[in-house]
Amino acid sequence: MSGGLHHASITTEDIDRLAAFYETHFGFRRVYEGEWDGGSPVADLIYGVADTSVRMVMLRAGAAFLEIFEFRRPREIRRDSRPVNMPGYSHIAVVTDDIEADYRRLLAAGVTFHCPPQHAPGLCRATYARDPDGNIVELLQPEPGGPFAT
């Protein structure tokens, strides 16, 4: 891995309120906004949540990024493991320069993943893993020149 923390992510019930808070009070600026309804094949695999309807923004301050999600669907909360669509901090992302090699290495070490690395064209390659406490750690390989590039 190339090291470094790329971003923290928060799931909220009011993305406009939360994004404005970080923009106003901490000097973050929006570098990306996106949304989908009716599921996203790539995102649904990475998140481990089916048929998603999501708004998201990526904010940046200096070298730090903050990703904010608003899940319109699904809204139910599983209790067996903390899902990505539950309000609060949802994951940390660690930058890698070879996601496939790191995925194979961690998988061999017994780390649980939602899915193999997925490609979001123009943005990144990514997958979510679980730490020993069930928290989500994202492996992220940003595309050079894309909005998530460091």
Side-chain angles (χ1 to χ4, degrees):
M1 294 208 181
S2 63
L5 184 65
H6 185 272
H7 68 267
S9 181
I10 303 171
T11 296
T12 182
E13 294 177 338
D14 187 341
I15 198 167
D16 296 317
R17 173 187 51 85
L18 197 59
F21 174 81
Y22 284 97
E23 290 168 324
T24 300
H25 299 294
F26 296 96
F28 280 84
R29 61 182 173 76
R30 290 179 194 221
V31 296
Y32 179 79
E33 295 183 52
E35 66 181 293
W36 57 89
D37 191 18
S40 163
V42 170
D44 287 2
L45 277 172
I46 292 172
Y47 300 158
V49 179
D51 192 33
T52 56
S53 176
V54 174
R55 286 181 61 205
M56 66 85 63
V57 298
M58 184 69 83
L59 306 176
R60 183 176 187 166
F65 290 84
L66 179 63
E67 182 178 46
I68 303 175
F69 289 115
E70 179 182 302
F71 281 81
R72 296 174 289 217
R73 189 181 61 250
R75 299 292 285 201
E76 69 273 0
I77 297 172
R78 292 186 350 219
R79 298 292 179 201
D80 58 332
S81 65
R82 188 185 177 287
V84 69
N85 61 316
M86 184 176 181
Y89 290 98
S90 66
H91 69 274
I92 62 168
V94 179
V95 175
T96 176
D97 57 2
D98 188 344
I99 194 168
E100 295 296 333
D102 288 327
Y103 170 76
R104 288 189 304 272
R105 178 179 56 80
L106 293 168
L107 195 62
V111 174
T112 302
F113 286 84
H114 290 185
C115 64
Q118 300 295 306
H119 184 228
L123 300 176
C124 63
R125 292 186 49 76
T127 188
Y128 282 4
R130 296 283 178 157
D131 74 12
D133 290 334
N135 296 305
I136 298 170
V137 179
E138 178 179 6
L139 296 184
L140 177 76
Q141 185 173 350
E143 287 199 10
F148 300 169
T150 55

